[in-house]
Amino acid sequence: MPASIVLGTQWGDEGKGKAVDFLADRVDYVVRYQGGNNAGHTVIAEGRLLKLQLIPSGILYPHITSVIADGVVVDPRHLIKEMDQVRETGVDVSRLVVSGNAHMIMPYHLELEKVTERFLGKNALGTTKRGIGPAYGDKAARIGLRIQDLFDEKIFREKLEVVLREKNLILTKIYNRLPLDADRIVEEYMGLAERVQPHVIDTGALLHQALIDGKQVMFEGAQGVLLDLDHGTYPFVTSSNPVAGSALASAGVGPHWVDRVVGIMKAYITRVGAGPFPTELVDDVGERLGTRGKEFGTVTGRQRRCGWFDACLGRYAARLNGLTELLVTKLDVLSGLDTVKICTGYRAYGQAFDDMPPHQSVFHDASPIYEELEGWHEEIDECRVFEDLPKQAQVYVRRMEELVGVPVSIVSVGPAREQSLPVPDPR
Ligand code: GDP
Ligand code: IMO
Ligand code: MG
């Protein structure tokens, strides 16, 4: 079957960019299906380092068509900037296509997010401030502007003026900010339209035909399932659905095409921004993981919170997405520890849980139950086959696999494409 979905199984930054680049060598299309330029996907290959935010991570392969699907929110100013940046590294971006149905992030979304986050005070979510929440909010409220609106100035202006009437009242009367000027936005966006237009097509029809023709399509998620609007740690989530099911809804593709769902799972866990995190380490081990793993946000530069691998959340991700395999990343970061821990369950309110507790208060209160494994001291970033890994590292991966209940197919031991080891089937 020709379609696969590759997605983050934790709170983002699992190494999706690296994984998609590695897995995409034999696919024809890579499709980003949700989020916007809040994502930061790092690809290191062919002597290049790309930090992609909107452009799918298959862009380095000249034979791949990169698709931004309907369910993504696109800041057209950012899109053009990112295309220019990628082009400057010598990569051809002419094969990037964007759905006309994708909603746009508008200047008032950025303004509003700034003031509403400030207004929340100590309850702020710690968003990336890219206008993601406000843009998805307007989409659901049916007052969003879509990419296709760029190509009809009359409609663009009409919609903008209606929306801006309300947004400016909110900005001026509630938040004491200056109003935004419709004429200036129209002028700027009409200027962008010319650059965007050559890339806009009916992506749903394109993918449908591709699948019928037997082409290989890979869907690339952004963020991770614990940041999913419905299934994540609400309200400390993003405003879209990273779960696998959402790939199909976003791109307008039927579920029968998909037979491979790859969960990208870091060998430990990180989180940027606020929200519960049972296995968080606020000690020198956490600091060590952050330093060795270079855990700083790709988009905002913020320090990522680090913690032990949580198999409970791993099982939750497996269940939510129907994962068929795991790609474990950053195993190399765990080198040099005497012992490594895996969370196998929680204790909260005097009760034990071996799955994600369904009530938020229980999860906020959850203290992890750990299993301790022997660590390893060797650096492993130069290993190229699974059997080269120290025994303890192999045992660790096999234990992850067992506890999550999904086979590990690849282990990543460094950021580069070649630092990816196929894992033999133990059966
Ligand atoms: P994404 O958002 O899931 O694509 O992940 P990010 O790119 O934001 O963060 C992952 C970081 O880890 C990037 O700097 C990658 O280059 C890096 N990385 C990916 N896989 C590995 C790995 O196996 N080992 C190490 N040390 N770094 C990795
Ligand atoms: P990638 O694709 C990690 C987090 C933010 C914040 C919350 C809401 O690189 O894994 P938003 O701006 O989306 O409204 O912020 O979600 N967040 C991410 N954390 N990786 C990401 O993307 C993220 N995108 C958003 O830090 O807590
Ligand atoms: Mg990232």
Side-chain angles (χ1 to χ4, degrees):
M1 284 244 225
S4 54
I5 303 174
V6 180
L7 72 145
T9 59
Q10 296 159 339
W11 280 290
D13 303 324
E14 299 89 351
K16 297 176 290 294
K18 176 203 159 145
V20 169
D21 168 75
F22 174 75
L23 295 169
D25 64 335
R26 264 174 268 154
V27 311
D28 304 290
Y29 295 80
V30 176
V31 186
R32 244 305 280 283
Y33 62 85
Q34 41 69 232
N37 59 317
N38 50 345
H41 296 176
T42 315
V43 175
I44 300 178
E46 298 171 13
R48 294 186 178 87
L49 187 159
L50 299 180
K51 288 178 187 288
L52 301 165
Q53 291 184 243
L54 259 180
I55 296 179
S57 302
I59 194 76
L60 274 179
Y61 297 98
H63 67 276
I64 286 180
T65 301
S66 296
V67 181
I68 296 179
D70 309 42
V72 175
V73 284
V74 176
D75 180 336
R77 299 194 271 200
H78 174 88
L79 176 67
I80 288 169
K81 199 167 85 191
E82 189 172 329
M83 283 198 292
D84 288 343
Q85 282 167 351
V86 171
R87 194 182 294 110
E88 273 163 27
T89 69
V91 176
D92 177 18
V93 291
S94 63
R95 295 174 74 98
L96 173 69
V97 294
V98 183
S99 167
N101 289 340
H103 277 250
M104 283 194 287
I105 296 175
M106 302 295 292
Y108 45 84
H109 293 138
L110 300 171
E111 277 300 305
L112 283 166
E113 185 164 26
K114 233 188 283 170
V115 286
T116 50
E117 270 284 274
R118 206 176 302 148
F119 194 72
L120 285 172
K122 67 173 178 46
N123 296 317
L125 301 175
T127 72
T128 59
K129 298 207 176 69
R130 297 301 188 266
I132 304 296
Y136 275 116
D138 281 358
K139 171 179 173 173
R142 291 156 299 176
I143 52 167
L145 272 78
R146 297 185 292 171
I147 288 283
Q148 57 181 285
D149 294 324
L150 285 174
F151 313 125
D152 185 331
E153 182 171 341
K154 187 163 163 282
I155 286 193
F156 182 90
R157 179 180 283 280
E158 230 171 77
K159 290 189 177 179
L160 178 69
E161 282 175 351
V162 171
V163 180
L164 213 49
R165 220 179 296 147
E166 188 211 9
K167 302 296 182 197
N168 275 342
L169 278 176
I170 298 172
L171 282 169
T172 55
K173 304 277 187 223
I174 299 179
Y175 294 109
N176 205 20
R177 308 288 294 181
L178 292 171
L180 298 181
D181 180 47
D183 288 339
R184 280 180 62 173
I185 298 177
V186 172
E187 194 188 327
E188 185 189 359
Y189 275 61
M190 287 305 112
L192 301 174
E194 232 174 86
R195 295 279 317 273
V196 175
Q197 191 150 31
H199 297 275
V200 177
I201 60 163
D202 182 344
T203 52
L206 175 82
L207 293 171
H208 180 69
Q209 193 56 50
L211 288 162
I212 286 176
D213 293 343
K215 301 281 189 216
Q216 298 287 323
V217 176
M218 179 172 280
F219 294 94
E220 173 182 11
Q223 291 83 49
V225 298
L226 302 173
L227 289 170
D228 186 278
L229 183 58
D230 291 299
H231 305 285
T233 48
Y234 190 89
F236 302 100
V237 293
T238 191
S239 299
S240 66
N241 294 104
V243 290
S246 138
L248 308 164
S250 161
V253 163
H256 63 292
W257 293 107
V258 178
D259 72 342
R260 187 180 185 200
V261 186
V262 186
I264 312 305
M265 215 167 253
K266 211 182 303 208
Y268 51 98
I269 295 203
T270 60
R271 170 161 211 170
V272 204
F277 182 178
T279 62
E280 181 170 12
L281 290 164
V282 285
D283 57 7
D284 52 346
V285 179
E287 207 175 302
R288 181 188 166 86
L289 296 178
T291 310
R292 277 181 64 87
K294 300 195 178 68
E295 297 294 357
F296 292 91
T298 314
V299 175
T300 57
R302 287 177 294 172
Q303 198 164 353
R304 296 172 182 156
R305 300 154 65 192
C306 298
W308 293 120
F309 178 70
D310 187 331
C312 257
L313 296 180
R315 281 194 289 275
Y316 182 57
R319 147 159 92 80
L320 280 175
N321 299 288
L323 299 179
T324 58
E325 66 191 272
L326 303 179
L327 190 157
V328 171
T329 59
K330 304 191 94 159
L331 187 67
D332 54 303
V333 175
L334 291 181
S335 287
L337 295 165
D338 292 333
T339 52
V340 279
K341 291 186 188 175
I342 295 183
C343 167
T344 56
Y346 309 115
R347 238 183 286 283
Y349 295 114
Q351 244 184 298
F353 294 83
D354 56 12
D355 205 349
M356 173 83 166
H359 197 284
Q360 59 188 4
S361 306
V362 181
F363 190 62
H364 277 258
D365 193 58
S367 54
I369 300 167
Y370 284 120
E371 178 175 301
E372 236 175 73
L373 283 82
E374 200 184 330
W376 58 96
H377 287 270
E378 302 89 328
E379 293 296 348
I380 58 172
D381 53 319
E382 290 189 4
C383 293
R384 290 295 174 269
V385 290
F386 186 71
E387 294 76 7
D388 280 354
L389 292 173
K391 252 293 75 42
Q392 299 89 330
Q394 293 187 29
V395 168
Y396 184 79
V397 172
R398 292 300 186 196
R399 192 61 186 140
M400 281 177 79
E401 180 172 73
E402 199 169 34
L403 287 167
V404 174
V406 178
V408 175
S409 59
I410 291 151
V411 169
S412 168
V413 294
R417 197 184 276 172
E418 61 276 12
Q419 290 172 302
S420 314
L421 326 179
V423 178
D425 186 339
R427 284 164 299 170

mmCIF file with all atom_site columns, all heavy atoms in Angstrom, residues 258-278:
data_model
loop_
_atom_site.group_PDB
_atom_site.id
_atom_site.type_symbol
_atom_site.label_atom_id
_atom_site.label_alt_id
_atom_site.label_comp_id
_atom_site.label_asym_id
_atom_site.label_entity_id
_atom_site.label_seq_id
_atom_site.pdbx_PDB_ins_code
_atom_site.Cartn_x
_atom_site.Cartn_y
_atom_site.Cartn_z
_atom_site.occupancy
_atom_site.B_iso_or_equiv
_atom_site.pdbx_formal_charge
_atom_site.auth_seq_id
_atom_site.auth_comp_id
_atom_site.auth_asym_id
_atom_site.auth_atom_id
_atom_site.pdbx_PDB_model_num
ATOM 1   N N   . VAL A 1 258 ? -3.621 3.841  3.730  1.00 0.00 ? 258 VAL A N   1
ATOM 2   C CA  . VAL A 1 258 ? -2.494 3.868  4.684  1.00 0.00 ? 258 VAL A CA  1
ATOM 3   C C   . VAL A 1 258 ? -2.255 2.503  5.304  1.00 0.00 ? 258 VAL A C   1
ATOM 4   O O   . VAL A 1 258 ? -3.176 1.879  5.818  1.00 0.00 ? 258 VAL A O   1
ATOM 5   C CB  . VAL A 1 258 ? -2.777 4.881  5.821  1.00 0.00 ? 258 VAL A CB  1
ATOM 6   C CG1 . VAL A 1 258 ? -1.645 4.885  6.844  1.00 0.00 ? 258 VAL A CG1 1
ATOM 7   C CG2 . VAL A 1 258 ? -2.989 6.279  5.251  1.00 0.00 ? 258 VAL A CG2 1
ATOM 8   N N   . ASP A 1 259 ? -1.025 2.021  5.250  1.00 0.00 ? 259 ASP A N   1
ATOM 9   C CA  . ASP A 1 259 ? -0.738 0.761  5.940  1.00 0.00 ? 259 ASP A CA  1
ATOM 10  C C   . ASP A 1 259 ? 0.479  0.854  6.844  1.00 0.00 ? 259 ASP A C   1
ATOM 11  O O   . ASP A 1 259 ? 0.908  -0.138 7.424  1.00 0.00 ? 259 ASP A O   1
ATOM 12  C CB  . ASP A 1 259 ? -0.560 -0.385 4.934  1.00 0.00 ? 259 ASP A CB  1
ATOM 13  C CG  . ASP A 1 259 ? 0.735  -0.265 4.163  1.00 0.00 ? 259 ASP A CG  1
ATOM 14  O OD1 . ASP A 1 259 ? 1.315  0.843  4.139  1.00 0.00 ? 259 ASP A OD1 1
ATOM 15  O OD2 . ASP A 1 259 ? 1.166  -1.281 3.589  1.00 0.00 ? 259 ASP A OD2 1
ATOM 16  N N   . ARG A 1 260 ? 1.074  2.050  6.952  1.00 0.00 ? 260 ARG A N   1
ATOM 17  C CA  . ARG A 1 260 ? 2.278  2.168  7.770  1.00 0.00 ? 260 ARG A CA  1
ATOM 18  C C   . ARG A 1 260 ? 2.178  3.447  8.589  1.00 0.00 ? 260 ARG A C   1
ATOM 19  O O   . ARG A 1 260 ? 1.988  4.536  8.020  1.00 0.00 ? 260 ARG A O   1
ATOM 20  C CB  . ARG A 1 260 ? 3.485  2.226  6.833  1.00 0.00 ? 260 ARG A CB  1
ATOM 21  C CG  . ARG A 1 260 ? 4.806  2.189  7.515  1.00 0.00 ? 260 ARG A CG  1
ATOM 22  C CD  . ARG A 1 260 ? 5.943  2.250  6.502  1.00 0.00 ? 260 ARG A CD  1
ATOM 23  N NE  . ARG A 1 260 ? 7.218  2.104  7.190  1.00 0.00 ? 260 ARG A NE  1
ATOM 24  C CZ  . ARG A 1 260 ? 8.387  2.476  6.691  1.00 0.00 ? 260 ARG A CZ  1
ATOM 25  N NH1 . ARG A 1 260 ? 8.459  2.999  5.485  1.00 0.00 ? 260 ARG A NH1 1
ATOM 26  N NH2 . ARG A 1 260 ? 9.485  2.334  7.385  1.00 0.00 ? 260 ARG A NH2 1
ATOM 27  N N   . VAL A 1 261 ? 2.254  3.314  9.908  1.00 0.00 ? 261 VAL A N   1
ATOM 28  C CA  . VAL A 1 261 ? 2.194  4.487  10.780 1.00 0.00 ? 261 VAL A CA  1
ATOM 29  C C   . VAL A 1 261 ? 3.421  4.448  11.692 1.00 0.00 ? 261 VAL A C   1
ATOM 30  O O   . VAL A 1 261 ? 3.531  3.596  12.576 1.00 0.00 ? 261 VAL A O   1
ATOM 31  C CB  . VAL A 1 261 ? 0.890  4.507  11.616 1.00 0.00 ? 261 VAL A CB  1
ATOM 32  C CG1 . VAL A 1 261 ? 0.779  5.811  12.398 1.00 0.00 ? 261 VAL A CG1 1
ATOM 33  C CG2 . VAL A 1 261 ? -0.341 4.341  10.722 1.00 0.00 ? 261 VAL A CG2 1
ATOM 34  N N   . VAL A 1 262 ? 4.356  5.335  11.423 1.00 0.00 ? 262 VAL A N   1
ATOM 35  C CA  . VAL A 1 262 ? 5.643  5.307  12.128 1.00 0.00 ? 262 VAL A CA  1
ATOM 36  C C   . VAL A 1 262 ? 5.638  6.343  13.248 1.00 0.00 ? 262 VAL A C   1
ATOM 37  O O   . VAL A 1 262 ? 5.476  7.542  13.006 1.00 0.00 ? 262 VAL A O   1
ATOM 38  C CB  . VAL A 1 262 ? 6.803  5.634  11.149 1.00 0.00 ? 262 VAL A CB  1
ATOM 39  C CG1 . VAL A 1 262 ? 8.150  5.456  11.848 1.00 0.00 ? 262 VAL A CG1 1
ATOM 40  C CG2 . VAL A 1 262 ? 6.720  4.789  9.893  1.00 0.00 ? 262 VAL A CG2 1
ATOM 41  N N   . GLY A 1 263 ? 5.809  5.877  14.470 1.00 0.00 ? 263 GLY A N   1
ATOM 42  C CA  . GLY A 1 263 ? 5.861  6.783  15.616 1.00 0.00 ? 263 GLY A CA  1
ATOM 43  C C   . GLY A 1 263 ? 7.306  7.161  15.915 1.00 0.00 ? 263 GLY A C   1
ATOM 44  O O   . GLY A 1 263 ? 8.141  6.290  16.143 1.00 0.00 ? 263 GLY A O   1
ATOM 45  N N   . ILE A 1 264 ? 7.601  8.462  15.896 1.00 0.00 ? 264 ILE A N   1
ATOM 46  C CA  . ILE A 1 264 ? 8.954  8.903  16.235 1.00 0.00 ? 264 ILE A CA  1
ATOM 47  C C   . ILE A 1 264 ? 9.005  9.098  17.746 1.00 0.00 ? 264 ILE A C   1
ATOM 48  O O   . ILE A 1 264 ? 8.226  9.862  18.317 1.00 0.00 ? 264 ILE A O   1
ATOM 49  C CB  . ILE A 1 264 ? 9.330  10.229 15.514 1.00 0.00 ? 264 ILE A CB  1
ATOM 50  C CG1 . ILE A 1 264 ? 8.986  10.135 14.024 1.00 0.00 ? 264 ILE A CG1 1
ATOM 51  C CG2 . ILE A 1 264 ? 10.815 10.537 15.722 1.00 0.00 ? 264 ILE A CG2 1
ATOM 52  C CD1 . ILE A 1 264 ? 9.593  8.963  13.290 1.00 0.00 ? 264 ILE A CD1 1
ATOM 53  N N   . MET A 1 265 ? 9.906  8.359  18.393 1.00 0.00 ? 265 MET A N   1
ATOM 54  C CA  . MET A 1 265 ? 9.953  8.304  19.845 1.00 0.00 ? 265 MET A CA  1
ATOM 55  C C   . MET A 1 265 ? 11.373 8.583  20.321 1.00 0.00 ? 265 MET A C   1
ATOM 56  O O   . MET A 1 265 ? 12.283 7.812  20.020 1.00 0.00 ? 265 MET A O   1
ATOM 57  C CB  . MET A 1 265 ? 9.500  6.901  20.278 1.00 0.00 ? 265 MET A CB  1
ATOM 58  C CG  . MET A 1 265 ? 8.714  6.876  21.556 1.00 0.00 ? 265 MET A CG  1
ATOM 59  S SD  . MET A 1 265 ? 7.904  5.273  21.771 1.00 0.00 ? 265 MET A SD  1
ATOM 60  C CE  . MET A 1 265 ? 6.204  5.661  21.444 1.00 0.00 ? 265 MET A CE  1
ATOM 61  N N   . LYS A 1 266 ? 11.541 9.685  21.004 1.00 0.00 ? 266 LYS A N   1
ATOM 62  C CA  . LYS A 1 266 ? 12.859 9.989  21.553 1.00 0.00 ? 266 LYS A CA  1
ATOM 63  C C   . LYS A 1 266 ? 13.140 8.994  22.687 1.00 0.00 ? 266 LYS A C   1
ATOM 64  O O   . LYS A 1 266 ? 12.208 8.588  23.387 1.00 0.00 ? 266 LYS A O   1
ATOM 65  C CB  . LYS A 1 266 ? 12.844 11.439 22.083 1.00 0.00 ? 266 LYS A CB  1
ATOM 66  C CG  . LYS A 1 266 ? 14.175 12.126 21.994 1.00 0.00 ? 266 LYS A CG  1
ATOM 67  C CD  . LYS A 1 266 ? 14.216 13.540 22.541 1.00 0.00 ? 266 LYS A CD  1
ATOM 68  C CE  . LYS A 1 266 ? 13.303 14.575 21.997 1.00 0.00 ? 266 LYS A CE  1
ATOM 69  N NZ  . LYS A 1 266 ? 13.868 15.952 22.104 1.00 0.00 ? 266 LYS A NZ  1
ATOM 70  N N   . ALA A 1 267 ? 14.407 8.653  22.893 1.00 0.00 ? 267 ALA A N   1
ATOM 71  C CA  . ALA A 1 267 ? 14.770 7.665  23.922 1.00 0.00 ? 267 ALA A CA  1
ATOM 72  C C   . ALA A 1 267 ? 14.591 8.233  25.329 1.00 0.00 ? 267 ALA A C   1
ATOM 73  O O   . ALA A 1 267 ? 14.725 7.518  26.318 1.00 0.00 ? 267 ALA A O   1
ATOM 74  C CB  . ALA A 1 267 ? 16.203 7.202  23.707 1.00 0.00 ? 267 ALA A CB  1
ATOM 75  N N   . TYR A 1 268 ? 14.319 9.535  25.417 1.00 0.00 ? 268 TYR A N   1
ATOM 76  C CA  . TYR A 1 268 ? 13.900 10.180 26.669 1.00 0.00 ? 268 TYR A CA  1
ATOM 77  C C   . TYR A 1 268 ? 12.784 11.125 26.243 1.00 0.00 ? 268 TYR A C   1
ATOM 78  O O   . TYR A 1 268 ? 12.259 10.961 25.135 1.00 0.00 ? 268 TYR A O   1
ATOM 79  C CB  . TYR A 1 268 ? 15.087 10.905 27.335 1.00 0.00 ? 268 TYR A CB  1
ATOM 80  C CG  . TYR A 1 268 ? 15.852 11.835 26.434 1.00 0.00 ? 268 TYR A CG  1
ATOM 81  C CD1 . TYR A 1 268 ? 15.610 13.207 26.440 1.00 0.00 ? 268 TYR A CD1 1
ATOM 82  C CD2 . TYR A 1 268 ? 16.796 11.349 25.528 1.00 0.00 ? 268 TYR A CD2 1
ATOM 83  C CE1 . TYR A 1 268 ? 16.294 14.063 25.584 1.00 0.00 ? 268 TYR A CE1 1
ATOM 84  C CE2 . TYR A 1 268 ? 17.489 12.196 24.673 1.00 0.00 ? 268 TYR A CE2 1
ATOM 85  C CZ  . TYR A 1 268 ? 17.227 13.549 24.698 1.00 0.00 ? 268 TYR A CZ  1
ATOM 86  O OH  . TYR A 1 268 ? 17.892 14.391 23.849 1.00 0.00 ? 268 TYR A OH  1
ATOM 87  N N   . ILE A 1 269 ? 12.394 12.082 27.077 1.00 0.00 ? 269 ILE A N   1
ATOM 88  C CA  . ILE A 1 269 ? 11.290 12.968 26.646 1.00 0.00 ? 269 ILE A CA  1
ATOM 89  C C   . ILE A 1 269 ? 11.673 14.419 26.884 1.00 0.00 ? 269 ILE A C   1
ATOM 90  O O   . ILE A 1 269 ? 12.395 14.730 27.839 1.00 0.00 ? 269 ILE A O   1
ATOM 91  C CB  . ILE A 1 269 ? 9.974  12.652 27.413 1.00 0.00 ? 269 ILE A CB  1
ATOM 92  C CG1 . ILE A 1 269 ? 9.474  11.249 27.055 1.00 0.00 ? 269 ILE A CG1 1
ATOM 93  C CG2 . ILE A 1 269 ? 8.894  13.654 27.076 1.00 0.00 ? 269 ILE A CG2 1
ATOM 94  C CD1 . ILE A 1 269 ? 7.993  11.032 27.277 1.00 0.00 ? 269 ILE A CD1 1
ATOM 95  N N   . THR A 1 270 ? 11.173 15.290 26.011 1.00 0.00 ? 270 THR A N   1
ATOM 96  C CA  . THR A 1 270 ? 11.335 16.726 26.255 1.00 0.00 ? 270 THR A CA  1
ATOM 97  C C   . THR A 1 270 ? 9.998  17.428 26.061 1.00 0.00 ? 270 THR A C   1
ATOM 98  O O   . THR A 1 270 ? 9.085  16.895 25.434 1.00 0.00 ? 270 THR A O   1
ATOM 99  C CB  . THR A 1 270 ? 12.348 17.372 25.291 1.00 0.00 ? 270 THR A CB  1
ATOM 100 O OG1 . THR A 1 270 ? 11.902 17.193 23.943 1.00 0.00 ? 270 THR A OG1 1
ATOM 101 C CG2 . THR A 1 270 ? 13.739 16.795 25.453 1.00 0.00 ? 270 THR A CG2 1
ATOM 102 N N   . ARG A 1 271 ? 9.931  18.625 26.618 1.00 0.00 ? 271 ARG A N   1
ATOM 103 C CA  . ARG A 1 271 ? 8.723  19.445 26.445 1.00 0.00 ? 271 ARG A CA  1
ATOM 104 C C   . ARG A 1 271 ? 9.151  20.914 26.458 1.00 0.00 ? 271 ARG A C   1
ATOM 105 O O   . ARG A 1 271 ? 9.988  21.300 27.291 1.00 0.00 ? 271 ARG A O   1
ATOM 106 C CB  . ARG A 1 271 ? 7.768  19.133 27.606 1.00 0.00 ? 271 ARG A CB  1
ATOM 107 C CG  . ARG A 1 271 ? 6.596  20.049 27.696 1.00 0.00 ? 271 ARG A CG  1
ATOM 108 C CD  . ARG A 1 271 ? 5.421  19.541 28.511 1.00 0.00 ? 271 ARG A CD  1
ATOM 109 N NE  . ARG A 1 271 ? 4.259  20.143 27.869 1.00 0.00 ? 271 ARG A NE  1
ATOM 110 C CZ  . ARG A 1 271 ? 3.001  19.865 28.104 1.00 0.00 ? 271 ARG A CZ  1
ATOM 111 N NH1 . ARG A 1 271 ? 2.676  18.979 28.982 1.00 0.00 ? 271 ARG A NH1 1
ATOM 112 N NH2 . ARG A 1 271 ? 2.041  20.485 27.443 1.00 0.00 ? 271 ARG A NH2 1
ATOM 113 N N   . VAL A 1 272 ? 8.612  21.708 25.549 1.00 0.00 ? 272 VAL A N   1
ATOM 114 C CA  . VAL A 1 272 ? 8.853  23.163 25.575 1.00 0.00 ? 272 VAL A CA  1
ATOM 115 C C   . VAL A 1 272 ? 7.540  23.820 25.950 1.00 0.00 ? 272 VAL A C   1
ATOM 116 O O   . VAL A 1 272 ? 6.495  23.430 25.455 1.00 0.00 ? 272 VAL A O   1
ATOM 117 C CB  . VAL A 1 272 ? 9.224  23.745 24.188 1.00 0.00 ? 272 VAL A CB  1
ATOM 118 C CG1 . VAL A 1 272 ? 10.011 25.033 24.341 1.00 0.00 ? 272 VAL A CG1 1
ATOM 119 C CG2 . VAL A 1 272 ? 9.955  22.765 23.342 1.00 0.00 ? 272 VAL A CG2 1
ATOM 120 N N   . GLY A 1 273 ? 7.593  24.807 26.812 1.00 0.00 ? 273 GLY A N   1
ATOM 121 C CA  . GLY A 1 273 ? 6.360  25.484 27.213 1.00 0.00 ? 273 GLY A CA  1
ATOM 122 C C   . GLY A 1 273 ? 5.780  24.829 28.457 1.00 0.00 ? 273 GLY A C   1
ATOM 123 O O   . GLY A 1 273 ? 6.320  23.846 28.990 1.00 0.00 ? 273 GLY A O   1
ATOM 124 N N   . ALA A 1 274 ? 4.646  25.383 28.901 1.00 0.00 ? 274 ALA A N   1
ATOM 125 C CA  . ALA A 1 274 ? 4.063  24.950 30.180 1.00 0.00 ? 274 ALA A CA  1
ATOM 126 C C   . ALA A 1 274 ? 3.276  23.648 30.031 1.00 0.00 ? 274 ALA A C   1
ATOM 127 O O   . ALA A 1 274 ? 2.971  23.219 28.926 1.00 0.00 ? 274 ALA A O   1
ATOM 128 C CB  . ALA A 1 274 ? 3.160  26.061 30.703 1.00 0.00 ? 274 ALA A CB  1
ATOM 129 N N   . GLY A 1 275 ? 2.953  23.031 31.199 1.00 0.00 ? 275 GLY A N   1
ATOM 130 C CA  . GLY A 1 275 ? 2.090  21.855 31.208 1.00 0.00 ? 275 GLY A CA  1
ATOM 131 C C   . GLY A 1 275 ? 2.697  20.703 31.974 1.00 0.00 ? 275 GLY A C   1
ATOM 132 O O   . GLY A 1 275 ? 3.905  20.685 32.238 1.00 0.00 ? 275 GLY A O   1
ATOM 133 N N   . PRO A 1 276 ? 1.857  19.722 32.346 1.00 0.00 ? 276 PRO A N   1
ATOM 134 C CA  . PRO A 1 276 ? 2.319  18.605 33.173 1.00 0.00 ? 276 PRO A CA  1
ATOM 135 C C   . PRO A 1 276 ? 3.332  17.729 32.443 1.00 0.00 ? 276 PRO A C   1
ATOM 136 O O   . PRO A 1 276 ? 3.286  17.594 31.214 1.00 0.00 ? 276 PRO A O   1
ATOM 137 C CB  . PRO A 1 276 ? 1.037  17.815 33.448 1.00 0.00 ? 276 PRO A CB  1
ATOM 138 C CG  . PRO A 1 276 ? 0.112  18.181 32.342 1.00 0.00 ? 276 PRO A CG  1
ATOM 139 C CD  . PRO A 1 276 ? 0.440  19.591 31.970 1.00 0.00 ? 276 PRO A CD  1
ATOM 140 N N   . PHE A 1 277 ? 4.228  17.126 33.201 1.00 0.00 ? 277 PHE A N   1
ATOM 141 C CA  . PHE A 1 277 ? 5.329  16.327 32.629 1.00 0.00 ? 277 PHE A CA  1
ATOM 142 C C   . PHE A 1 277 ? 5.843  15.429 33.761 1.00 0.00 ? 277 PHE A C   1
ATOM 143 O O   . PHE A 1 277 ? 6.794  15.775 34.461 1.00 0.00 ? 277 PHE A O   1
ATOM 144 C CB  . PHE A 1 277 ? 6.398  17.313 32.139 1.00 0.00 ? 277 PHE A CB  1
ATOM 145 C CG  . PHE A 1 277 ? 7.615  16.712 31.471 1.00 0.00 ? 277 PHE A CG  1
ATOM 146 C CD1 . PHE A 1 277 ? 8.600  17.554 30.976 1.00 0.00 ? 277 PHE A CD1 1
ATOM 147 C CD2 . PHE A 1 277 ? 7.794  15.340 31.328 1.00 0.00 ? 277 PHE A CD2 1
ATOM 148 C CE1 . PHE A 1 277 ? 9.734  17.055 30.358 1.00 0.00 ? 277 PHE A CE1 1
ATOM 149 C CE2 . PHE A 1 277 ? 8.921  14.834 30.710 1.00 0.00 ? 277 PHE A CE2 1
ATOM 150 C CZ  . PHE A 1 277 ? 9.896  15.699 30.224 1.00 0.00 ? 277 PHE A CZ  1
ATOM 151 N N   . PRO A 1 278 ? 5.177  14.257 33.996 1.00 0.00 ? 278 PRO A N   1
ATOM 152 C CA  . PRO A 1 278 ? 5.487  13.440 35.176 1.00 0.00 ? 278 PRO A CA  1
ATOM 153 C C   . PRO A 1 278 ? 6.953  13.037 35.315 1.00 0.00 ? 278 PRO A C   1
ATOM 154 O O   . PRO A 1 278 ? 7.467  12.988 36.428 1.00 0.00 ? 278 PRO A O   1
ATOM 155 C CB  . PRO A 1 278 ? 4.601  12.207 34.993 1.00 0.00 ? 278 PRO A CB  1
ATOM 156 C CG  . PRO A 1 278 ? 3.519  12.622 34.076 1.00 0.00 ? 278 PRO A CG  1
ATOM 157 C CD  . PRO A 1 278 ? 4.068  13.707 33.201 1.00 0.00 ? 278 PRO A CD  1
#
